[in-house]
Amino acid sequence: MKSTMQEGSLLIKDILRHGREVHRTSTVTTITEDGSTTATFTEVADRVDRLAAALARLGVGIDDRVGTFCWNNQTHLEAYLAVPSMGAILHTLNIRLFPEQLAYVINHAEDKVIIVDASLVPLLARVRAELTTVETIIVAGAADTSALGATLDYETLLAAEQPGYAYPDLDEGDAAAMCYTSGTTGNPKGVVYSHRSTYLHSMAQLSSSSVGLSERDRILIIVPMFHANAWGTPYSGWMSGTSMVMPQQYLQGEHLLRIIETTKPTLSCGVPTIWNDLLRAAEGIEVDLSSLRAVTAGGSAVPRSLLEAFDERFGVPLVQGWGMTETSPLATFGLPPVGIEDDEIMSYRVKAGRVVPGVEVRVVADDGTVLPNDGTSVGEFEIRGPWVTGSYYKDSDPTKFHDGWLRTGDVGSLDQLGYMTISDRTKDVIKSGGEWISSVELEGEIMAHPEIFEAAVIAVPDDRWDERPLACLVPRPGMTPSPQAVLDFLAPRVVKWWLPERFCYLEQIPKTSVGKFDKKVLRASFEKGELEVIEVAIPHSR
Amino acid sequence: MKSTMQEGSLLIKDILRHGREVHRTSTVTTITEDGSTTATFTEVADRVDRLAAALARLGVGIDDRVGTFCWNNQTHLEAYLAVPSMGAILHTLNIRLFPEQLAYVINHAEDKVIIVDASLVPLLARVRAELTTVETIIVAGAADTSALGATLDYETLLAAEQPGYAYPDLDEGDAAAMCYTSGTTGNPKGVVYSHRSTYLHSMAQLSSSSVGLSERDRILIIVPMFHANAWGTPYSGWMSGTSMVMPQQYLQGEHLLRIIETTKPTLSCGVPTIWNDLLRAAEGIEVDLSSLRAVTAGGSAVPRSLLEAFDERFGVPLVQGWGMTETSPLATFGLPPVGIEDDEIMSYRVKAGRVVPGVEVRVVADDGTVLPNDGTSVGEFEIRGPWVTGSYYKDSDPTKFHDGWLRTGDVGSLDQLGYMTISDRTKDVIKSGGEWISSVELEGEIMAHPEIFEAAVIAVPDDRWDERPLACLVPRPGMTPSPQAVLDFLAPRVVKWWLPERFCYLEQIPKTSVGKFDKKVLRASFEKGELEVIEVAIPHSR
C-alpha cells in the first residue's frame, strides 16, 4: 500500500531556497590578504542566481560538468549552490594534485567549464594544454590569464545577469556533484553524489547527535572545499543558516589564530595536522579561542595528546569524526555517550567517533564473516547508507564492495555503543609474529612525547617476526629526542612487543594532497634505502 | 546522469536498528499507578522482535493494518517499531473519538488486529460489535475482556517468541502508519505516512534548528501517541537514543509535576492546555522543574501570558511549534533568531515558529495569488514537503490541495525570517466591518488577564458590522472578572474596534479529542441560544 505523502524530490535547489528565504541575515565572510569581505545569504543567493544564468548562457545544461579550482571562498560557495541547482554537476578539483592527476580527473569527468581563483591560474595553466573537454575557463579575480588562453571574468559574467533564475525540477537520484579520491595507487576514482545523498547528508550534519549546525553557529571552514565537499559543511551550513568564514589560502597556524580571534567562529573543521599547527603557532603567546564551542577533526586519527593539548591550551573540545570521500563524508561523530563517569570520557574521545543515524557500519573478517560489535573483534570496516557510494564513476571496481557494502580499507573494531576504533589502514597494517600492531595507536603514543612534533610508523621486513614497526620521527624545533628516550616514554604505554627497535628522523612526514600521512612515500623511501634507520636492541618478551 | 550513491531505502527498520545497536543503554520509562517501570533500548528492541514474530504468527503480513488503542507507554512504542518494520501498517486510534467515529476509522482503515491497553478495554468494547474487519484483539495488561469476546494476551504472545526477527526490505514509499484527523466536519480523514516521510521527519527532529533530540535528552512525551504520532517523538527519540518517559493516563497537572520531579526529563511536549494546567497545579507549592531545558507546545496558539508564566514560574523556556496530522507534524519550531536584542526575543517567541529545513510554507490570498513573506500580508498557509500529505486515504479531497500544496486551513502571515503568525483558522475568522479580527490574538490577550483561566472567541452575527467577537471566559477558581474589568485590561492591548461587546462565562471551553478549543461546539451552543450572552456598550471608533 502506498502512502498519501507528497512525492517531491530532495534537491539542492531546496537547500538554496531554505537558506535564502529563512536565513537572510546569516553571512559568508571570506578572508583576504588585508582583511575580509562579508555578504549576507540574501546577497550570496542573488549572486548564485546570476551565476546560474551566466552558466546557462554559456551553454551549460543538465548534466554538464562544471569544475572548480578554488580556495574556500564565497565564489566557491556560489558554485556549490548554483551548479547542482541548475541541473549541472559540480566537480571540485583538488588544487594539490600532481599535474598529470589533475589533467586526468578533468578529462575523465569531461569538465566543460572550469571556474578558477585568480591566485590559482598558474597552477591550472600547467595542465591547460592537456585538457580535452574544457571549453570555457572563468577566472574569479584579477590575474594574468595569458597562460590559459581565452578566459572570461567571473564578475563581468555575473554583472550581466539578474537574480531570479528558474531552477529546474530534477530527480533526487540525479548527479549533483563529483569528487575524485586521492587514490594512493592508480588513477584517482570519481565519486558522484546525488541531490538526495547531499540533502540527507546535510540533514545528518544538523543533528544534535553530530555537528548540530544551526543559525547560532559561525563555522570557520578550514577543510578544503575541493576535498569531500569540505565535509559537506557548505550545504549543511547554508541549509541551517550557519554563518561561514572562508579562509582561502590563509591556512598557517598564525593566520588561523588571527582569523579565529577576529571572526569569532563557534565551530571549525580541519585535519589533525591543522590543529597541531595551530597549537605550535600559539606557543608562548596569548590567544583567545573562547568563541569556539568545538572544533572537529577527521581524515586521520587524532592522537590523545592533541585532544589533551586542545583542552588544556585552548579550553576547546576537539571532536573526532570519521568518513571518506566515498561516504560524503560524515559517518561517525565523536561525542561521548551519556551516563559515564568523567574519567571515562577521554576513552571515548580518542576513538574515531560514533556511528551517526543514517549509516550502518560493520566489522568484517578477512574471510568475509561479519564480526560482533564487541570492542575487541578486529576486521575491516564496511559501510552502507544513503550517502555512501555504491561504485565509482565509469569504474564499478567490485573489489571495493562486498554484498552492497563499501569496503573502507580501514581496520579496527566497533564497540557496543557504536564507537569505532581504527587501528590501521588495511595497507598499513603491521603483522609481527602473527599479531597485529596498530601503527595508528603507536603513532599516537609517540606523538604524546613532548619533544616529538609528528611521527609515522610503517611496517618493515624483519627476519624473525616477518614485519616490525619503523618509527619515523619529526622532533619539535631544537629538540633531539633519542630513540632510547622515546622507548623509555613508550614503555609504560604500550605492550612490550609493540616497542619499535627501528627509528629514523625526518624534517617532515610526507603528506597526501589532503594532508594525510603518506606512508606509501615513506615505504618507497625505505625500500630505496633513502631513510637513515637507527636500530636499537630491545629484549622482546616473545 | 545518475550518481554512484547506494540505492537503499529509508526504512523504519533502520530507525529500529540504529537505536538498538548504538543506544543500547538509553531507556524507556512508563509511569504506573504506583511508580514506574523502566527498560533499556536493548530490552525494548528484543520485545519489538517478539511482537513482530507474534503478529506474523497471527497472520499479519505486508500492508495489514494493526490498530493501537493505547496510552503513551512501552507497549505502544513496541507497536510503533514492530508493525512498520515488519511491513504492516500501524494505525493509532484516538481513544477520545466518539464511538461512531472510532468504529468508522477502524472499519475505513480495515484494521485486522487491534492492540488495546487493559484500562481502555471498556472504551473499545463499546464499538466491538460494529467492527467489520478486526480478526484479533490483543490486550496488554490484566482486564476483564469479556465484553470484547475472544482476545489474546500481549505478554503471553511475546513470551512464545524469540528476539531476532528478519524484517523485510521494503520500498521507502510504502505505507508505514496511518492517523485520522479529528475532522471537525464530516468523517475523519486518514493520512498515511510512508517509511520515507517518517524517516525524514525523524531526522528533522534531531536538527539543532528544531527539537534537537539526542542521547543527552530524556523526553517526557505528553502529547498522545494516538495523535499525529506524538509529534513523531517516539521515532526521532529512538533514532537518536533519547530516553523516553511515558506518562500513560497520568496527565493531570499534579501527576505531571510529580513525574517531572522524579524522572527529571530534559524535554517535554504537549498542547498549551497541558502547560496551563501544570501552572495551575504548581500554584502555591514548591516545584523543581530545573531538569527541563525546554518544553514544546503545539496544536493551538500559545498565549504570551503562558510563555511568560513558564519563564517566571519555572525558568523553563516554552517553545512553540506548528504542524498538523497532515504534516507529520513538524513544520515550524520557535527558536528565536540570532542577532536580535534581548527585548525582541518575545516578539518571535509568541509567533507560531520558524519554518524548519525540509518543508516549504507560503501565504496565499483568497484568489490563489501567492503573497510575499513580509510579515503583514495575510492569507491561508499552504505547505509542501516530503513529510506533508498529498491526499487522504481513499479520498483525494481536491479542495484541500492547491497546485500540489496542502491547504492548511490556518490563516496568517510569514515574516522575512520564516516565522509564522497565525491569526485564525479559516473557519474561525471574524470579519467585522470588512476587516479581520484575529480570534487567536484576542484570546491570547484575554488569557493574559490574571483572573482568567481560559478564553475562546468566536464570531457571532451583528447587524451593523456583519460579525463581531463573542468572548467566552473561564475565570480562575473563585475569581469573577467582570466584562468591564476585561475590557479595561484589553483596552491598551488591542485596537479599539477589536474590543468585544459580547461576553459569556463558562465552566470550561469545550475541547476536541486532541485538546484544542472546539469552537464548532461553541458556535452550535450559541446558535441554539444555550449561551448566556452579556452585552456591554462600547463606543466604537469606526
Side-chain angles (χ1 to χ4, degrees):
Chain A
M1 181 168 136
K2 286 294 158 193
S3 80
T4 60
M5 294 289 114
Q6 296 181 6
E7 293 208 332
S9 273
L10 306 173
L11 299 177
I12 290 175
K13 74 168 178 172
D14 289 312
I15 294 177
L16 170 62
R17 178 191 47 70
H18 190 81
R20 101 186 295 162
E21 287 186 2
V22 171
H23 298 288
R24 293 165 203 259
T25 53
S26 297
T27 56
V28 179
T29 297
T30 302
I31 305 300
T32 59
E33 192 175 355
D34 49 3
S36 64
T37 62
T38 294
T40 64
F41 274 24
T42 296
E43 290 162 346
V44 173
D46 284 351
R47 287 170 55 86
V48 168
D49 288 357
R50 290 170 186 264
L51 174 58
L55 291 172
R57 196 180 296 276
L58 291 169
V60 172
I62 302 288
D63 285 350
D64 282 333
R65 268 74 80 196
V66 176
T68 54
F69 199 72
C70 301
W71 297 107
N72 289 11
N73 54 34
Q74 184 184 324
T75 302
H76 211 165
L77 178 65
E78 288 162 4
Y80 261 59
L81 293 166
V83 173
S85 294
M86 69 185 293
I89 299 169
L90 178 79
H91 177 196
T92 52
L93 297 164
N94 186 336
I95 65 169
R96 301 204 179 107
L97 289 180
F98 293 112
E100 58 273 23
Q101 286 188 317
L102 180 60
Y104 172 83
V105 301
I106 295 171
N107 291 334
H108 189 261
E110 301 173 62
D111 293 347
K112 185 172 180 177
V113 174
I114 292 178
I115 299 171
V116 56
D117 277 344
S119 65
L120 296 171
V121 163
L123 270 186
L124 187 62
R126 293 195 297 172
V127 302
R128 179 65 186 98
E130 318 302 323
L131 306 182
T132 55
T133 61
V134 174
E135 298 172 7
T136 310
I137 295 179
I138 301 172
V139 179
D144 173 1
T145 61
S146 52
L148 284 176
T151 61
L152 298 173
D153 175 62
Y154 189 87
E155 290 301 330
T156 306
L157 288 175
L158 264 60
E161 307 293 344
Q162 294 298 322
Y165 189 83
Y167 296 100
D169 280 321
L170 304 166
D171 183 87
E172 68 187 44
D174 289 345
M178 56 201 305
C179 190
Y180 281 72
T181 62
S182 46
T184 45
T185 54
N187 282 317
K189 290 168 180 294
V191 174
V192 185
Y193 306 108
S194 64
H195 285 263
R196 170 183 166 102
S197 71
T198 303
Y199 196 102
L200 292 172
H201 183 264
S202 300
M203 289 187 82
Q205 285 199 323
L206 309 191
S207 158
S208 294
S209 301
S210 73
V211 194
L213 288 174
S214 81
E215 195 191 67
R216 300 182 291 286
D217 285 313
R218 174 180 290 116
I219 186 167
L220 169 61
I221 302 175
I222 299 175
V223 60
M225 292 169 76
F226 54 73
H227 172 50
N229 288 338
W231 300 347
T233 52
Y235 291 120
S236 54
W238 185 269
M239 187 183 218
S240 59
T242 301
S243 288
M244 304 178 211
V245 180
M246 302 294 200
Q248 298 214 92
Q249 64 267 56
Y250 305 105
L251 301 173
Q252 297 74 18
E254 290 74 9
H255 280 129
L256 293 176
L257 282 176
R258 182 180 53 75
I259 293 169
I260 294 169
E261 291 193 318
T262 54
T263 65
K264 300 198 185 310
T266 62
L267 281 172
S268 186
C269 48
V271 291
T273 48
I274 288 280
W275 303 127
N276 214 6
D277 192 48
L278 196 74
L279 274 171
R280 177 200 54 71
E283 268 172 29
I285 59 171
E286 266 195 47
V287 296
D288 176 11
L289 307 192
S290 61
S291 67
L292 289 164
R293 67 173 171 91
V295 300
T296 66
S300 308
V302 179
R304 174 190 292 252
S305 54
L306 183 54
L307 298 173
E308 289 172 344
F310 251 70
D311 287 348
E312 288 158 19
R313 182 68 182 89
F314 301 137
V316 174
L318 196 164
V319 184
Q320 298 198 58
W322 175 88
M324 310 164 69
T325 299
E326 287 88 338
T327 66
S328 290
L330 179 68
T332 76
F333 198 73
L335 299 173
V338 297
I340 57 169
E341 301 295 324
D342 282 357
D343 60 3
E344 289 181 278
I345 290 176
M346 186 54 82
S347 69
Y348 286 98
R349 289 183 58 202
V350 295
K351 299 191 180 192
R354 187 180 208 176
V355 178
V356 299
V359 297
E360 194 173 355
V361 180
R362 66 182 187 183
V363 179
V364 179
D366 284 348
D367 65 1
T369 320
V370 178
L371 299 173
N373 297 352
D374 56 10
T376 56
S377 299
V378 171
E380 183 174 3
F381 294 111
E382 296 186 347
I383 182 167
R384 69 177 178 187
W387 54 86
V388 177
T389 202
S391 67
Y392 293 94
Y393 181 56
K394 296 195 256 182
D395 176 1
S396 61
D397 197 354
T399 65
K400 289 291 195 71
F401 302 92
H402 174 208
D403 287 349
W405 297 66
L406 171 73
R407 300 178 60 185
T408 66
D410 274 331
V411 168
S413 63
L414 268 178
D415 72 14
Q416 288 216 325
L417 296 176
Y419 289 84
M420 197 183 241
T421 299
I422 295 179
S423 47
D424 256 309
R425 294 288 297 166
T426 46
K427 60 186 181 302
D428 294 337
V429 293
I430 305 170
K431 206 134 187 196
S432 177
E435 299 282 346
W436 278 350
I437 295 173
S438 166
S439 67
V440 171
E441 194 174 335
L442 199 47
E443 287 159 2
E445 295 298 348
I446 297 174
M447 286 191 276
H449 189 290
E451 299 187 352
I452 305 278
F453 179 65
E454 278 181 345
V457 174
I458 60 170
V460 296
D462 183 277
D463 289 341
R464 180 163 175 204
W465 305 106
D466 294 334
E467 288 184 348
R468 290 294 301 161
L470 163 65
C472 305
L473 310 179
V474 180
R476 291 187 183 278
M479 306 288 186
T480 52
S482 68
Q484 193 56 52
V486 173
L487 286 169
D488 291 345
F489 179 79
L490 285 180
R493 295 169 167 249
V494 300
V495 291
K496 198 166 181 186
W497 59 277
W498 281 30
L499 291 173
E501 49 283 281
R502 292 176 183 84
F503 293 83
C504 73
Y505 290 83
L506 302 174
E507 289 191 9
Q508 56 184 4
I509 306 291
K511 308 242 171 40
T512 68
S513 62
V514 295
K516 300 183 192 194
F517 288 174
D518 196 340
K519 297 193 187 179
K520 171 173 54 40
V521 172
L522 278 180
R523 279 192 290 265
S525 299
F526 175 82
E527 281 160 25
K528 289 185 214 155
E530 294 169 0
L531 301 184
E532 273 186 51
V533 176
I534 303 167
E535 285 209 41
V536 294
I538 305 175
H540 284 291
S541 61
R542 48 192 281 275
Chain B
M1 180 168 135
K2 287 295 157 191
S3 80
T4 61
M5 294 289 114
Q6 294 181 8
E7 294 208 331
S9 274
L10 305 173
L11 299 178
I12 289 175
K13 74 168 178 172
D14 289 313
I15 294 177
L16 170 61
R17 178 190 48 72
H18 190 81
R20 101 187 294 163
E21 288 187 0
V22 172
H23 299 287
R24 294 164 202 259
T25 53
S26 297
T27 57
V28 178
T29 297
T30 302
I31 305 300
T32 59
E33 190 173 357
D34 49 4
S36 64
T37 62
T38 294
T40 64
F41 275 24
T42 295
E43 291 163 346
V44 173
D46 284 350
R47 287 171 54 87
V48 168
D49 288 357
R50 289 170 185 265
L51 174 57
L55 291 171
R57 197 180 296 275
L58 290 169
V60 172
I62 302 288
D63 284 351
D64 282 332
R65 267 74 80 195
V66 176
T68 54
F69 199 73
C70 302
W71 298 106
N72 291 10
N73 53 34
Q74 184 184 326
T75 302
H76 211 165
L77 178 66
E78 288 161 6
Y80 260 60
L81 293 166
V83 174
S85 294
M86 69 185 293
I89 300 169
L90 178 79
H91 178 197
T92 52
L93 298 164
N94 187 335
I95 65 169
R96 301 203 179 108
L97 290 180
F98 293 114
E100 58 272 23
Q101 285 187 318
L102 180 60
Y104 172 83
V105 301
I106 294 171
N107 291 335
H108 188 261
E110 301 172 63
D111 293 348
K112 185 171 180 177
V113 173
I114 292 178
I115 300 170
V116 57
D117 278 343
S119 65
L120 296 170
V121 163
L123 270 184
L124 187 62
R126 294 194 297 172
V127 303
R128 180 66 186 98
E130 318 301 323
L131 306 182
T132 55
T133 61
V134 174
E135 297 170 8
T136 309
I137 295 180
I138 301 171
V139 179
D144 174 1
T145 61
S146 52
L148 284 176
T151 61
L152 299 173
D153 175 61
Y154 188 86
E155 291 301 330
T156 306
L157 288 175
L158 265 60
E161 308 293 344
Q162 294 299 321
Y165 189 82
Y167 297 100
D169 280 320
L170 304 165
D171 182 89
E172 68 186 44
D174 288 345
M178 55 200 305
C179 190
Y180 281 73
T181 62
S182 46
T184 45
T185 53
N187 281 319
K189 291 169 180 294
V191 173
V192 185
Y193 306 108
S194 64
H195 286 263
R196 170 182 165 103
S197 70
T198 304
Y199 197 101
L200 292 172
H201 182 264
S202 299
M203 287 187 82
Q205 285 199 324
L206 309 192
S207 158
S208 294
S209 300
S210 73
V211 193
L213 288 174
S214 81
E215 195 192 68
R216 299 182 293 284
D217 285 314
R218 175 180 290 115
I219 185 166
L220 170 61
I221 303 175
I222 299 175
V223 60
M225 291 169 77
F226 54 73
H227 171 51
N229 288 339
W231 300 347
T233 52
Y235 291 120
S236 53
W238 185 269
M239 188 184 218
S240 60
T242 302
S243 287
M244 305 178 209
V245 180
M246 302 294 201
Q248 297 216 92
Q249 63 268 54
Y250 307 104
L251 300 172
Q252 298 74 17
E254 289 75 9
H255 280 129
L256 293 176
L257 283 176
R258 182 179 53 75
I259 293 169
I260 294 170
E261 291 192 319
T262 54
T263 66
K264 301 199 183 311
T266 61
L267 281 172
S268 186
C269 47
V271 293
T273 49
I274 288 279
W275 303 129
N276 214 6
D277 192 47
L278 195 75
L279 275 171
R280 178 200 53 70
E283 268 172 28
I285 58 171
E286 265 195 46
V287 297
D288 175 11
L289 308 192
S290 61
S291 67
L292 290 164
R293 67 173 171 91
V295 300
T296 67
S300 307
V302 178
R304 174 191 293 253
S305 54
L306 183 53
L307 298 173
E308 289 173 342
F310 252 69
D311 288 347
E312 288 158 18
R313 181 70 180 88
F314 300 138
V316 174
L318 197 163
V319 184
Q320 298 199 59
W322 176 89
M324 311 164 67
T325 299
E326 287 87 338
T327 66
S328 292
L330 180 69
T332 75
F333 197 74
L335 298 174
V338 296
I340 57 170
E341 302 294 325
D342 282 357
D343 60 2
E344 291 181 277
I345 290 176
M346 186 55 82
S347 69
Y348 286 97
R349 290 184 58 203
V350 296
K351 299 192 178 192
R354 185 179 209 177
V355 178
V356 298
V359 297
E360 194 174 355
V361 181
R362 66 181 187 182
V363 179
V364 179
D366 284 349
D367 64 2
T369 320
V370 178
L371 299 173
N373 297 352
D374 56 10
T376 56
S377 299
V378 171
E380 183 174 1
F381 294 112
E382 296 185 349
I383 181 166
R384 69 176 177 187
W387 53 87
V388 177
T389 202
S391 66
Y392 293 95
Y393 180 55
K394 295 195 257 183
D395 176 0
S396 61
D397 196 353
T399 66
K400 290 290 195 70
F401 302 91
H402 175 207
D403 288 348
W405 297 66
L406 171 73
R407 299 179 59 185
T408 65
D410 275 331
V411 168
S413 64
L414 267 178
D415 72 14
Q416 288 217 325
L417 295 176
Y419 289 84
M420 196 183 242
T421 299
I422 296 178
S423 47
D424 256 311
R425 294 288 297 165
T426 46
K427 59 185 183 301
D428 294 336
V429 294
I430 305 169
K431 204 132 187 197
S432 177
E435 299 281 348
W436 278 351
I437 295 174
S438 166
S439 67
V440 171
E441 194 174 336
L442 199 48
E443 287 159 3
E445 296 297 348
I446 297 172
M447 286 192 275
H449 189 291
E451 298 187 354
I452 305 279
F453 179 64
E454 279 181 344
V457 174
I458 60 170
V460 296
D462 182 278
D463 289 342
R464 180 161 175 208
W465 305 105
D466 294 334
E467 288 183 349
R468 289 295 301 161
L470 163 65
C472 306
L473 310 179
V474 179
R476 289 186 185 279
M479 305 288 186
T480 53
S482 68
Q484 194 55 52
V486 173
L487 287 168
D488 291 345
F489 179 80
L490 285 180
R493 296 171 166 249
V494 301
V495 292
K496 199 168 181 185
W497 59 277
W498 281 30
L499 292 172
E501 48 285 281
R502 294 175 182 83
F503 292 84
C504 73
Y505 290 83
L506 301 175
E507 290 191 8
Q508 55 183 4
I509 306 292
K511 308 244 170 37
T512 68
S513 62
V514 294
K516 299 184 193 195
F517 289 174
D518 196 341
K519 297 193 186 178
K520 171 173 53 41
V521 172
L522 279 180
R523 281 191 289 265
S525 299
F526 175 82
E527 280 160 24
K528 288 185 213 154
E530 294 170 358
L531 301 183
E532 274 186 49
V533 176
I534 304 167
E535 286 209 40
V536 294
I538 304 175
H540 283 290
S541 62
R542 48 193 281 273

